[in-house]
């Protein structure tokens, strides 16, 4: 199928697929540069290779980009990457990661590197459920769908404060507990917009603008995870108070009560149930002490 040059925003993309990827990145708020860098690859007849997108804020391995580190490249391919595509991508590594996506926007892609031999692994766009950072993560096990989650500094402050747990929250989350964060509402909206937009239709482009506003609203409300994923995380967070390894572990009130009873102490029991009962008694006593209402 011949490639169709397509105008979107300020760029004229070499293909309709590349323009769809631009919609996807644009809606998610991921900055990109289109075909700004050309590599002359040694050992391949000095082939000139120009990756489609440079993503300055998307760091490889799903981590947060530091000032001294480079971003990543994304290639939008119409067909499955061939050996030549893999070799080109491998030559740029380790300076920058190259993600090769073929077919529809945000379906599984691949990345690769060459040490002694070529190593290829699956990648997919994901979104941190805590801070909303969109990144490209790798799937460690296709069968079990285990996921390499990125390191999120926000998870250990905002989310910890929300659930009144220690900043070591993520240390208590088993790798296989949290599902791959690839179906967040924002990702789903961006994917839908990219794959359904008709660039020649003003109405369709207007609908894309509406989807962009929906994503902005989700970001303002910090809705970065699917309901199913949020349920798993919330259930785990609330259970941490019963995990003795957790620095914020709270001993159950009945254990505290039994220990106090066994000690023979004459001090008031410090367990939460006894404190609650004492508070209720105090409120009742205060009600009794109120002066009777005067009647005219």
């Amino acid at each position: 199928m011949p490639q169709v040059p397509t105008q979107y925003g300020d760029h004229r993309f070499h293909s309709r697929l590349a323009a769809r990827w631009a919609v996807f990145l644009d809606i998610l708020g991921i900055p990109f540069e289109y075909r700004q860098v050309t590599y002359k690859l040694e050992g391949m007849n000095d082939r000139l290779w120009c990756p489609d997108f440079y993503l300055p804020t998307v760091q490889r391995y799903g981590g947060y980009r530091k000032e001294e580190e480079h971003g990543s490249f994304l290639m939008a391919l119409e067909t499955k990457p061939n050996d030549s595509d893999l070799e080109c991508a491998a030559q740029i590594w380790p300076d920058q990661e190259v993600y090769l996506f073929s077919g529809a926007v945000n379906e599984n892609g691949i990345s690769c590197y060459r040490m002694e031999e070529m190593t290829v692994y699956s990648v997919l766009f994901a979104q941190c459920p805590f801070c909303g950072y969109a990144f490209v993560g790798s799937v460690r096990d296709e069968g079990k769908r285990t996921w390499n989650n990125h390191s999120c500094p926000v998870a250990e402050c905002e989310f910890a404060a929300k659930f009144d747990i220690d900043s070591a929250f993520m240390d208590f989350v088993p790798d296989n507990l949290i599902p791959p964060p690839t179906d967040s509402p924002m990702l789903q909206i961006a994917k839908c917009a990219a794959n359904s937009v008709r660039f020649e239709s003003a109405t369709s482009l207007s609908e894309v603008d509406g989807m962009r506003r929906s994503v902005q609203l989700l970001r303002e409300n910090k809705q970065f995870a699917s309901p199913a994923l949020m349920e798993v995380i919330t259930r785990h967070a609330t259970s941490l108070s019963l995990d003795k390894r957790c620095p914020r572990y709270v001993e159950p009130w009945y254990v505290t009560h039994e220990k106090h009873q066994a000690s023979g102490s004459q001090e008031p029991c410090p367990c939460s149930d006894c404190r609650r009962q004492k508070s209720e008694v105090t409120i009742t006593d205060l009600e009794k002490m109120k002066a009777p209402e005067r009647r005219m």
Side-chain angles (χ1 to χ4, degrees), residues 14-211:
H14 72 282
S15 70
R16 187 63 56 90
L17 179 61
R20 294 189 184 281
W21 270 105
V23 172
F24 178 81
L25 298 171
D26 183 31
I27 287 182
L28 289 176
I30 300 176
F32 66 84
E33 298 174 10
Y34 176 65
R35 291 198 160 184
Q36 295 294 312
V37 182
T38 300
Y39 286 90
K40 187 175 183 179
L41 304 177
E42 300 178 359
M44 302 183 68
N45 298 321
D46 292 333
R47 174 182 173 181
L48 296 179
W49 194 59
C50 181
D52 293 328
F53 296 95
Y54 174 62
L55 311 178
T57 62
V58 177
Q59 181 191 337
R60 60 182 178 160
Y61 308 133
Y64 269 75
R65 175 178 174 270
K66 299 178 182 179
E67 290 300 324
E68 68 274 10
E69 293 176 327
H70 301 291
S72 306
F73 287 112
L74 187 152
M75 286 293 293
L77 304 174
E78 301 285 349
T79 59
K80 184 179 179 180
N82 55 35
D83 292 341
S84 178
D85 295 322
L86 296 179
E87 191 61 44
C88 290
Q91 281 210 21
I92 298 177
W93 187 91
D95 292 333
Q96 269 134 350
E97 193 80 67
V98 180
Y99 305 117
L100 306 170
F101 286 89
S102 57
V105 173
N106 200 32
E107 298 299 332
N108 276 57
I110 63 172
S111 190
C112 64
Y113 62 90
R114 177 182 289 282
M115 299 292 281
E116 296 180 357
E117 60 183 21
M118 185 77 70
T119 300
V120 179
Y121 54 93
S122 298
V123 296
L124 193 62
F125 269 87
Q127 185 175 29
C128 176
F130 304 105
C131 67
Y133 173 68
F135 64 98
V136 180
S138 60
V139 181
R140 293 184 304 187
D141 189 323
E142 288 285 0
K144 297 181 180 179
R145 297 295 295 170
T146 54
W147 189 261
N148 281 336
N149 289 300
H150 85 112
S151 176
C152 174
V154 179
E156 288 139 6
C157 54
E158 289 186 1
F159 200 78
K162 177 179 179 181
F163 286 97
D164 191 28
I165 58 177
D166 190 80
S167 61
F169 168 73
M170 291 303 292
D171 295 336
F172 292 87
V173 182
D175 291 340
N176 60 353
L177 179 65
I178 297 184
T182 58
D183 61 345
S184 72
M186 291 172 63
L187 287 172
Q188 293 294 340
I189 292 174
K191 179 180 177 180
C192 176
N195 289 324
S196 65
V197 61
R198 289 175 287 119
F199 295 96
E200 66 282 357
S201 169
T203 301
S204 181
L205 292 174
S206 177
E207 291 174 352
V208 169
D209 287 335
M211 293 182 182

Side-chain angles (χ1 to χ4, degrees), residues 220-238:
E220 291 172 3
N221 293 327
K222 297 186 178 181
Q223 297 181 16
F224 305 132
S226 65
L229 176 56
M230 206 64 224
E231 181 184 353
V232 172
I233 297 173
T234 303
R235 187 167 59 248
H236 181 71
T238 53

Side-chain angles (χ1 to χ4, degrees), residues 4-22:
V4 180
T6 303
Q7 184 74 31
Y8 175 71
D10 298 331
H11 299 282
R12 185 168 177 79
F13 297 93
H14 72 282
S15 70
R16 187 63 56 90
L17 179 61
R20 294 189 184 281
W21 270 105

